[in-house]
Amino acid sequence: MARDTRERILDISLGMFNAQGEPNVTTNHIADELGISPGNLYYHFRNKDDIVEHLFARYEARIDGVLRLPDDRAPTLEDIWLQLHRVFESLWSYRFLYRDLVDILARNRKLKLRFARIMQRASTSATELLHGLVRAGIMRASADEIRALAENILLIATFWMNFNAVRGGKAEADEADLNCGIHQVMMLVAPFLRDAERFHLNTLAATYVR
Amino acid sequence: MARDTRERILDISLGMFNAQGEPNVTTNHIADELGISPGNLYYHFRNKDDIVEHLFARYEARIDGVLRLPDDRAPTLEDIWLQLHRVFESLWSYRFLYRDLVDILARNRKLKLRFARIMQRASTSATELLHGLVRAGIMRASADEIRALAENILLIATFWMNFNAVRGGKAEADEADLNCGIHQVMMLVAPFLRDAERFHLNTLAATYVR
């Protein structure tokens, strides 16, 4: 029962953070929304940062699952696009983190270190996938090019929502923006592919643009 | 004389914002640093946002100058690298803006609109440069590829400093980070170049990495 309340607090908080922006939601708002007393909420979580940390742990577990590569065979292009999709879906599910990323990490040293570790794992995973494509003859790129490409993929995935916000997009990101993010990453990889795959990818990528 | 004080306030504010982060600097700190009374400072500027807006106007004028293309001849690769350098130098001179970009723009609707217009002009300028390279036969890329490439260049230039911060870099960005940003943009463009230029660029880009 207590465990249920705990999970419900996290679910409702995630929804409110995503919809309203984490800085605009207080523990009182969350308790109100759940129809419980602030005291009951504080029984489960010390403060809002405690809630944010637990949501971050959920996010971390999810992204770690997504970043796992098939270990029984060489990765294919389809593996990349599937992983790319699942990464962007994970970012979208926890978009409050990404919208105020710089702020949230500046405020919480523990999360800053954990986020840096996620980035490290994502970088390793992207680099391995890309080297796999080169070994399979699907892609042509030097080790330097792969290193730079993996960094650019990470940067674009991480700041895609912020980029839309600062260039004057709609106040609220939606799933069409997400597809544009996936499109931008595909277009990063495209020029390194063999002609047949590059052509196929450009056709596929076009379906992602509004 | 009054005009001198005004300019001195802006110069000192820029230095303090860049060194300490804009959110950590108050008008009192600025007055202290200048050895003037807060009243004297308020004679020149209504509040800190007023100072930020004037610094933003300086930045806007500078970046507009940098984005201007040679209009008497087709752009060359050297034009691109020179422009890229000058863009990153401008970002560096006003790095307080970029470090807290999402925050500063969320707080000030006027700056948000003006920043969106800068992004629009930067996007047009990058797109024109890239099309110029295609017309000159230096680069091979479709219109879709150029559109995506211009967006990715903008995104990387805008969030390069934030990216370094969230992936656990040093607390303070320095000029070596700036060079890495330039390197990352070069590596975006490289795969679209003719083999000779791509080889030349990869050699050049390598000198930018620590």
Side-chain angles (χ1 to χ4, degrees):
Chain A
M1 190 64 193
R3 177 159 166 72
D4 278 2
T5 306
R6 211 180 144 75
E7 292 304 308
R8 270 182 61 224
I9 294 171
L10 290 176
D11 292 340
I12 290 285
S13 299
L14 177 59
M16 292 176 77
F17 289 166
N18 280 343
Q20 301 165 40
E22 182 271 344
N24 305 315
V25 177
T26 67
T27 47
N28 280 348
H29 295 147
I30 299 167
D32 263 6
E33 184 71 25
L34 279 157
I36 64 175
S37 69
N40 192 357
L41 188 145
Y42 286 122
Y43 170 78
H44 295 283
F45 295 99
R46 282 194 320 282
N47 49 36
K48 193 170 77 166
D49 267 6
D50 195 16
I51 298 178
V52 171
E53 284 177 26
H54 278 83
L55 288 174
F56 190 93
R58 277 192 184 181
Y59 170 69
E60 198 173 9
R62 174 153 168 189
I63 204 82
D64 274 350
V66 167
L67 292 177
R68 210 163 297 131
L69 296 171
D71 54 5
D72 51 342
R73 57 179 175 77
T76 65
L77 265 186
E78 282 63 37
D79 289 325
I80 297 227
W81 309 142
L82 181 62
Q83 189 181 82
L84 193 57
H85 254 95
R86 295 177 69 205
V87 166
F88 270 86
E89 275 166 10
S90 309
L91 305 190
W92 178 250
S93 302
Y94 291 84
R95 57 191 174 280
F96 78 94
L97 269 180
Y98 284 84
R99 194 163 32 198
D100 290 294
L101 186 64
V102 173
D103 229 41
I104 290 174
L105 300 187
R107 228 168 58 199
N108 189 320
R109 194 165 160 69
K110 234 186 306 182
L111 295 190
K112 191 172 157 63
L113 291 171
R114 282 162 69 183
F115 192 83
R117 281 202 300 266
I118 293 177
M119 293 296 259
Q120 191 47 56
R121 289 194 293 269
S123 167
T124 305
S125 163
T127 306
E128 279 175 21
L129 259 177
L130 296 171
H131 275 296
L133 293 181
V134 171
R135 275 194 306 270
I138 298 168
M139 194 168 141
R140 188 180 73 121
S142 69
D144 279 351
E145 286 171 333
I146 287 183
R147 198 174 307 120
L149 179 57
E151 289 234 314
N152 283 336
I153 291 173
L154 248 66
L155 198 159
I156 285 167
T158 307
F159 288 102
W160 177 249
M161 284 181 228
N162 284 160
F163 181 59
N164 276 326
V166 304
R167 73 172 162 181
K170 306 177 301 303
E172 269 317 300
D174 61 25
E175 289 191 81
D177 293 315
L178 207 67
N179 282 338
C180 286
I182 295 174
H183 171 258
Q184 287 300 109
V185 175
M186 286 180 161
M187 294 304 272
L188 276 184
V189 178
F192 294 101
L193 299 177
R194 280 191 308 217
D195 280 353
E197 275 86 3
R198 181 174 175 182
F199 178 78
H200 174 66
L201 179 63
N202 279 330
T203 313
L204 182 65
T207 66
Y208 279 91
V209 198
R210 276 174 283 206
Chain B
M1 191 61 192
R3 180 161 162 70
D4 278 3
T5 306
R6 211 179 144 75
E7 293 303 310
R8 269 184 60 224
I9 293 171
L10 290 176
D11 292 341
I12 291 285
S13 299
L14 178 59
M16 292 176 78
F17 290 165
N18 279 343
Q20 300 165 40
E22 182 270 345
N24 305 316
V25 178
T26 66
T27 46
N28 280 347
H29 296 147
I30 299 168
D32 264 6
E33 184 71 25
L34 279 157
I36 64 176
S37 68
N40 192 358
L41 188 144
Y42 286 121
Y43 170 79
H44 295 283
F45 296 99
R46 283 194 318 284
N47 48 38
K48 192 172 75 166
D49 267 6
D50 196 16
I51 297 178
V52 171
E53 284 176 26
H54 278 83
L55 288 175
F56 191 93
R58 277 191 184 180
Y59 169 69
E60 199 173 8
R62 173 152 169 190
I63 203 84
D64 274 351
V66 166
L67 291 177
R68 211 163 296 132
L69 297 172
D71 53 6
D72 52 341
R73 57 179 176 78
T76 64
L77 264 186
E78 282 64 37
D79 290 324
I80 297 227
W81 309 142
L82 182 61
Q83 189 181 80
L84 192 58
H85 254 96
R86 295 177 66 205
V87 166
F88 270 87
E89 275 167 11
S90 308
L91 305 190
W92 178 251
S93 302
Y94 291 84
R95 56 193 175 279
F96 77 95
L97 269 179
Y98 283 85
R99 193 163 33 195
D100 290 293
L101 187 64
V102 173
D103 229 42
I104 290 173
L105 300 186
R107 229 168 58 200
N108 189 321
R109 195 167 159 67
K110 233 185 307 181
L111 295 190
K112 190 173 157 63
L113 292 170
R114 282 161 69 182
F115 192 82
R117 282 202 300 266
I118 293 177
M119 293 296 258
Q120 191 48 55
R121 289 194 294 270
S123 167
T124 306
S125 163
T127 306
E128 278 175 22
L129 260 178
L130 296 171
H131 276 295
L133 292 182
V134 171
R135 276 193 306 271
I138 298 168
M139 193 169 144
R140 188 180 73 121
S142 69
D144 278 352
E145 285 171 334
I146 286 182
R147 198 175 308 120
L149 179 57
E151 289 234 312
N152 282 336
I153 290 173
L154 249 66
L155 198 160
I156 285 166
T158 307
F159 288 103
W160 178 249
M161 283 181 229
N162 285 159
F163 181 59
N164 276 326
V166 304
R167 72 172 165 181
K170 307 176 300 304
E172 270 317 298
D174 60 27
E175 288 191 83
D177 293 315
L178 207 67
N179 282 339
C180 286
I182 295 174
H183 171 258
Q184 286 301 111
V185 175
M186 286 181 161
M187 295 303 272
L188 276 184
V189 178
F192 294 99
L193 299 177
R194 279 190 310 216
D195 280 353
E197 275 85 3
R198 181 175 176 181
F199 178 77
H200 174 67
L201 179 63
N202 279 330
T203 314
L204 183 63
T207 65
Y208 279 91
V209 197
R210 276 175 283 207

